[in-house]
Amino acid sequence: MAKLIGESVKRVEDLRFITGRGQYTDDLVLPNMTYASIVRSPYAHARIKSVDTSRAQAAPGVVAVFTGKDIADSGVSGVPCGWQVNFKNGDTMKEPPHPILAVDKVRYVGDAVAVVIAETRQQAKDAAELVEVDYEVLDAVVDVRKAIQPGAPVVHEEAPNNICFDWELGDKAKTDAAFQQAAHVTRLELVNQRLIPNAIEPRSAIGDYNPATDKYTLYTSSQNPHVIRLLMCAFVLGIPEHKVRVVSPDVGGGFGSKIFHYIEEALVTWCAGRLGRPVKWTAERSESFMTDAHGRDHYTVAEMAFDQDGKITGLRVNTLANLGAYLSTFAPAIPTYLYGTLLQGLYTTPAIHVDVTAVFTNTTPVDAYRGAGRPEATYLLERLVETAARELGVDPAELRKKNFIPPFDGVNQPGYQTQVALQYDSGNYHGVLEKLLEVADYQGLRKQQEELRKQGRYLGIGFSTYIEACGIAPSAVVGALGARAGLYEAAQVRVQPTGKVTVYVGSHAHGQGHETTFAQIVADRLGLNLEDVEVIHGDTESVPFGMGTYGSRSLAVGGSAIARSLDKILEKGRKIAAHLLEAAEEDLEFEDGKWTVRGTDRSISFGEVALAAYVPHNYPEGLEPGLEFTAFYDPANFTFPFGAHLAVVEVDPETGKVKLLKYVAVDDVGNVINPMIVDGQVHGGLAQGIGQALLEGAVYDESGQLISGTFMDYALPRADDLPEFVVDRQVTPCPHNPLGVKGAGETGTIGSTPAVVNAVVDALSPFGVRDLQMPLTPERVWRAIQQAKTA
């Protein structure tokens, strides 16, 4: 059989997608199904004086109307936060309740107040408009800096200063001393603006209840069905887990926004139990803008200290992180454990201290968005390094090389212990940058830049070198940091009597190509054809408990669980083969789908062994029949992919328009199972990171209204905004997982944003522009040029 690992196999799942045969949650139509429409607050902050549902209840087709009081009276709790971060003094963070439907107060535009359930979607929507809510409008606060000022509107009485927690990491005294002794200090104020995920498939959920079995089924567009079941059963509805099945069918993109347990999932499940009929809710695009968890939204003051030789001696970071109105499932982890722990970057910085204050505001809750903390950390580091290079008068590539961590493989040399808790697994950071300089023809670009500037054209070249932590989040590392968690993964490999294989995985796909990549691992290892392997995921009733898909963890953790299961399959298969061949186990070798007695031509195929496992007429004594195994994989550490990116832009000084001319990315994601799929992941990540740099940004007015709540006002990157990407790779295997893989889904997003901003600032350097805040819209760039001219 041909080897499959490392081959660009076409995605097997694409046939159903491109022919319109994919099945998403909203495609499902259950017998006797009803439809829900949610009444949402038009105000960012208001007391609910009364809710009158009488007109809605009398409307045509209406089955039921429920308010927050109805749900509270039934004893149902609100949705929980799944991650705890303590204050610096050890106090527990503030975790105000997040009710399924608001009872006394609404805290952001889109907060759910009531639900109308009707026979059709349109009837539910029409009746929802008849629900009359009397609000007492209160002052709102949306800016994280204003929210912590004395006298600011209070979002939650439980947090009177709007602070959820403060947190720090690193050695403050050592870092302060480094700055006192510094020969040069670079300082920047950075706004990592709020982003809206905009997955192509809006969120959808269907609750169903079977009174005959007293069991519930929730169909939901989720990245992690088992976690949704756990949170909803244990903390919200109080239903035993064995009485709830969660099914997540095909999911049309997530980018992190479908990780979390949303109120709508618990709401339709509760309503289905009350009505004894299925209840479906699907977001309209405007609801997605308002209620899908947003990303980023940091305000940071960052400083980097250097000695007289250009070596980085210290990094000091102070960040205000906007969490929105409520704590989303993993919200506290994003600006802390996924942000502060990555501030070492690729550099040997000996002293680092980060201080984070997490703040409530009257805005949509904020949680993980592609990269989740890692892009924010990389952005501030790479803006500082690039700015410092200009201030010091050195080439930005050379400054990076001078400060890079030396190469290490994690086997012959130990992993690199950072100043911010983590230990990197393996890395060759000089290698990716050198390869980037070669692939991009860096010297040629600098010459071209010089010639064009003589012609009055403004070409800019920007770098970004990054590292990220994937395989979120291993028990050993998270436990060492004092947080709750330990996110393992599980896989079951079942060999059928015919030798065909079914793989059940807890990881869930929403565009990554798991059905192909996981099948490649199995088929390659067992010597099968790809079509002989089926991958099943997304149903808590059929797959082993898994923690889901996020943080570029599926292959490193889920794939490793598959590899462990295959070890068990082959171990048992060897025993059966040895018995059938009348040979010692140690004399057998497995290759190309068959066991062969070493030094002979006597062999037996995998299919023959599989059949013997289920028809044991000639079978090893004491060995159970069957050939299937489950394995759990809990990684010893994160994996740490890294890379070097370069962007080339041209800026029109008359209009401020930025044109991205060239983008080159050299990434190291460890071993690669399917290069084509990895390239696709990188391309998608680049588009999103470039979108943040140049186009995207959620905007609220002072009253808390989302101004950028439609695609007319929120600019996503289009094909004509992007150049042809040049992507290349270096391979430094991960030393601690069986596949040697690291993760690739977020690399493009992490590396691209600072590279593009650095390129634009480089283009504008002749005008004296030192910094720009994202997104770099034509107006913002033009104004910066004009201000520099008059400075």
Side-chain angles (χ1 to χ4, degrees):
M1 299 293 178
K3 283 292 181 183
L4 290 167
I5 288 181
E7 296 301 315
S8 292
V9 177
K10 290 185 178 179
R11 295 181 7 148
V12 298
E13 53 269 72
D14 282 351
L15 178 62
R16 71 175 185 271
F17 294 143
I18 63 178
T19 57
R21 294 185 177 93
Q23 187 174 65
Y24 301 89
T25 301
D26 192 53
D27 292 328
L28 301 174
V29 179
L30 304 183
N32 208 26
M33 190 162 72
T34 62
Y35 297 82
S37 181
I38 296 174
V39 179
R40 299 188 183 276
S41 171
Y43 303 108
H45 201 196
R47 289 191 180 89
I48 300 173
K49 299 174 69 176
S50 65
V51 182
D52 185 351
T53 64
S54 56
R55 291 177 63 211
Q57 288 174 327
V62 170
V63 176
V65 182
F66 297 111
T67 66
K69 185 176 184 303
D70 295 321
I71 292 179
D73 288 348
S74 73
V76 168
S77 303
V79 294
C81 176
W83 202 288
Q84 180 177 305
V85 173
N86 291 331
F87 280 86
K88 288 186 284 189
N89 66 5
D91 289 349
T92 302
M93 70 180 189
K94 305 297 184 183
E95 187 178 351
H98 184 183
I100 293 175
L101 296 176
V103 179
D104 301 315
K105 196 178 183 185
V106 291
R107 293 178 169 84
Y108 71 100
V109 173
D111 212 351
V113 176
V115 60
V116 176
I117 300 164
E119 299 291 350
T120 70
R121 197 189 306 261
Q122 191 59 50
Q123 286 174 331
K125 185 176 179 180
D126 290 344
E129 295 179 0
L130 301 177
V131 175
E132 297 178 2
V133 184
D134 186 9
Y135 295 100
E136 178 190 340
V137 180
L138 305 171
D139 290 338
V141 62
V142 300
D143 187 295
V144 69
R145 288 164 285 186
K146 294 179 180 179
I148 59 174
Q149 293 177 359
V154 175
V155 182
H156 294 280
E157 288 68 23
E158 295 88 343
N161 55 5
N162 290 326
I163 294 176
C164 177
F165 60 83
D166 58 22
W167 179 87
E168 66 178 340
L169 186 64
D171 189 327
K172 186 177 189 303
K174 183 179 179 182
T175 304
D176 289 343
F179 276 86
Q180 290 175 356
Q181 300 165 13
H184 177 83
V185 173
T186 294
R187 181 182 185 276
L188 288 173
E189 289 187 43
L190 300 165
V191 176
N192 209 295
Q193 80 272 31
R194 179 179 288 237
L195 302 176
I196 300 175
N198 284 307
I200 194 169
E201 176 209 20
R203 286 189 297 115
S204 184
I206 305 169
D208 190 19
Y209 175 67
N210 184 344
T213 58
D214 189 31
K215 292 188 70 172
Y216 294 82
T217 301
L218 169 66
Y219 302 88
T220 180
S221 49
S222 172
Q223 298 176 217
N224 50 352
H226 274 105
V227 174
I228 301 305
R229 186 183 68 170
L230 171 62
L231 294 174
M232 186 174 72
C233 291
F235 300 100
V236 186
L237 300 182
I239 305 170
E241 277 187 273
H242 70 281
K243 291 291 187 181
V244 176
R245 174 191 181 196
V246 175
V247 180
S248 185
D250 290 329
V251 175
F255 315 120
S257 69
K258 294 174 183 174
I259 299 171
F260 325 117
H261 181 30
Y262 287 95
I263 62 105
E264 293 87 359
E265 293 165 325
L267 179 61
V268 297
T269 305
W270 181 85
C271 290
R274 294 292 289 259
L275 300 177
R277 295 178 62 182
V279 179
K280 176 192 278 190
W281 169 83
T282 300
E284 296 187 349
R285 183 57 66 178
S286 59
E287 284 183 287
S288 295
F289 270 97
M290 288 190 296
T291 67
D292 287 4
H294 292 177
R296 314 287 192 255
D297 208 345
H298 286 192
Y299 170 76
T300 296
V301 176
E303 300 171 285
M304 186 171 277
F306 294 82
D307 66 14
Q308 64 273 15
D309 297 320
K311 290 282 287 182
I312 302 171
T313 58
L315 176 70
R316 189 160 53 195
V317 177
N318 285 275
T319 293
L320 295 176
N322 193 339
L323 298 181
Y326 300 102
L327 285 180
S328 181
T329 306
F330 294 125
I334 310 309
T336 54
Y337 298 105
L338 299 182
Y339 168 67
T341 57
L342 271 298
L343 289 174
Q344 186 82 52
L346 304 184
Y347 309 113
T348 57
T349 311
I352 301 172
H353 183 260
V354 55
D355 192 296
V356 176
T357 301
V359 182
F360 292 113
T361 62
N362 295 114
T363 60
T364 299
V366 175
D367 209 315
Y369 173 70
R370 197 170 190 171
R374 285 73 56 87
E376 295 92 315
T378 298
Y379 184 73
L380 78 84
L381 283 172
E382 294 307 291
R383 285 293 299 121
L384 283 170
V385 170
E386 199 90 354
T387 304
R390 184 163 288 109
E391 292 173 349
L392 295 169
V394 300
D395 185 274
E398 293 306 313
L399 185 61
R400 286 176 169 86
K401 290 182 197 177
K402 178 178 287 190
N403 287 282
F404 274 167
I405 297 164
F408 60 103
D409 62 15
V411 178
N412 299 302
Q413 306 90 13
Y416 183 83
Q417 181 60 52
T418 73
Q419 302 299 313
V420 278
L422 299 182
Q423 184 179 66
Y424 296 163
D425 55 356
S426 60
N428 179 4
Y429 312 135
H430 289 83
V432 288
L433 182 54
E434 291 291 356
K435 192 167 190 176
L436 175 76
L437 298 175
E438 178 185 349
V439 173
D441 184 19
Y442 177 55
Q443 294 305 321
L445 287 173
R446 284 298 184 196
K447 291 178 183 178
Q448 182 185 9
Q449 181 184 48
E450 184 179 351
E451 290 300 317
L452 289 176
R453 282 186 178 174
K454 294 175 183 177
Q455 303 171 26
R457 293 174 62 186
Y458 296 90
L459 196 75
I461 301 165
F463 285 97
S464 170
T465 54
Y466 73 89
I467 190 167
E468 66 162 321
C470 297
I472 309 295
S475 298
V477 176
V478 177
L481 290 170
R484 304 184 307 202
L487 303 186
Y488 54 83
E489 202 50 72
Q492 179 185 28
V493 176
R494 178 180 299 166
V495 181
Q496 312 294 349
T498 58
K500 312 303 182 186
V501 177
T502 307
V503 183
Y504 301 89
V505 290
S507 301
H508 185 57
H510 48 281
Q512 293 87 349
H514 290 177
E515 293 173 36
T516 304
T517 304
F518 288 163
Q520 283 180 258
I521 295 170
V522 175
D524 184 275
R525 187 81 180 278
L526 300 182
L528 303 176
N529 294 316
L530 194 68
E531 55 268 25
D532 291 337
V533 181
E534 181 184 22
V535 177
I536 305 293
H537 56 90
D539 186 340
T540 61
E541 204 156 87
S542 63
V543 304
F545 194 97
M547 304 305 293
T549 295
Y550 39 83
S552 302
R553 70 188 300 272
S554 292
L555 192 56
V557 188
S560 292
I562 293 172
R564 289 281 176 85
S565 296
L566 292 172
D567 289 342
K568 297 178 181 181
I569 293 288
L570 290 172
E571 181 183 355
K572 184 174 182 179
R574 176 186 290 269
K575 294 180 185 299
I576 301 170
H579 178 79
L580 295 174
L581 290 170
E582 298 180 343
E585 288 182 45
E586 57 271 20
D587 290 337
L588 297 186
E589 55 187 14
F590 184 79
E591 189 175 356
D592 294 332
K594 60 184 178 182
W595 282 272
T596 302
V597 180
R598 193 175 289 107
T600 76
D601 59 358
R602 295 170 56 221
S603 65
I604 187 169
S605 71
F606 181 79
E608 291 174 293
V609 168
L611 182 61
Y614 289 94
V615 188
H617 62 277
N618 182 15
Y619 204 65
E621 187 175 344
L623 198 63
E624 293 180 356
L627 195 55
E628 67 174 68
F629 286 97
T630 298
F632 286 78
Y633 180 74
D634 191 9
N637 192 1
F638 292 89
T639 64
F640 294 92
F642 57 92
H645 291 198
L646 179 145
V648 182
V649 303
E650 184 171 4
V651 178
D652 183 342
E654 299 301 318
T655 64
K657 174 69 175 175
V658 176
K659 183 173 179 60
L660 184 58
L661 302 177
K662 185 175 185 177
Y663 197 96
V664 184
V666 177
D667 300 298
D668 192 322
V669 297
N671 291 335
V672 173
I673 305 299
N674 188 314
M676 180 188 68
I677 287 178
V678 169
D679 288 349
Q681 291 274 16
V682 173
H683 288 181
L686 292 176
Q688 285 182 278
I690 293 165
Q692 176 174 11
L694 299 179
L695 299 164
E696 297 184 48
V699 179
Y700 286 92
D701 68 13
E702 288 296 314
S703 70
Q705 294 295 324
L706 181 62
I707 303 303
S708 56
T710 73
F711 286 131
M712 292 294 290
D713 305 293
Y714 188 92
L716 291 177
R718 303 175 305 182
D720 61 353
D721 294 313
L722 305 171
E724 181 178 352
F725 298 133
V726 178
V727 297
D728 208 331
R729 269 186 292 278
Q730 172 186 275
V731 177
T732 307
C734 173
H736 62 73
N737 69 52
L739 297 173
V741 298
K742 292 197 170 194
E746 295 163 297
T747 58
T749 309
I750 294 166
S752 58
T753 305
V756 172
V757 174
N758 285 338
V760 174
V761 174
D762 182 56
L764 299 181
S765 59
F767 297 102
V769 174
R770 178 177 179 269
D771 189 30
L772 286 167
Q773 300 298 348
M774 300 182 292
L776 307 187
T777 61
E779 180 188 7
R780 186 166 287 178
V781 172
W782 181 85
R783 289 188 182 280
I785 294 171
Q786 305 313 307
Q787 291 169 3
K789 285 180 177 179
T790 58

